[in-house]
Amino acid sequence: IYGMYSGAALLMDVHYPEKPNGYGLIQIPGSAFRAPLAYGARPLKAGGLAPHLGASRLVDAGYTVFTVNHRAAPRFRYPAAVEDVQRAVRFIRHHAAEYGVNADRIGATGGSSGGHLA
């Protein structure tokens, strides 16, 4: 949990490498800014590490990957997703030492709407 909004948890998954290199990467999956955030929604890790973004190779190369979930339409509107990703960045930087990453060495990537947010 990287934050809360009106009682709803803002979630991210953390994928740890076997041999960390101190770099972090925020991965924002594409969703066309629409995603079910209901109790029974598919977990972020259910689909693996989004192979089209190369996340598995990045973890294998030593990067700590943070897969971020954000508020989405139709329930939420702009700028909710932008605010959530900004909050996730602040959270990760604040807790960087706990994740074994350098707070000044964090990048972002995403596909489709996730690329726009990155």
Side-chain angles (χ1 to χ4, degrees), residues 13-114:
D13 288 337
V14 182
H15 305 274
Y16 294 97
E18 287 185 31
K19 297 178 183 177
N21 62 13
Y23 290 85
L25 184 69
I26 299 169
Q27 174 185 336
I28 310 161
S31 65
F33 296 105
R34 296 184 164 276
L37 298 177
Y39 179 76
R42 180 181 65 85
L44 295 175
K45 287 185 179 178
L49 275 174
H52 63 284
L53 297 176
S56 295
R57 289 181 298 199
L58 290 165
V59 171
D60 291 343
Y63 293 88
T64 302
V65 177
F66 304 89
T67 304
V68 176
N69 195 4
H70 58 78
R71 291 175 287 159
R75 183 171 177 199
F76 300 101
R77 300 280 183 229
Y78 175 85
V82 174
E83 293 168 346
D84 292 349
V85 171
Q86 289 172 337
R87 181 183 303 228
V89 170
R90 287 191 304 270
F91 180 90
I92 293 165
R93 290 190 66 174
H94 182 75
H95 296 280
E98 297 169 36
Y99 292 118
V101 299
N102 181 335
D104 295 326
R105 300 288 185 223
I106 300 172
T109 186
S112 189
S113 62

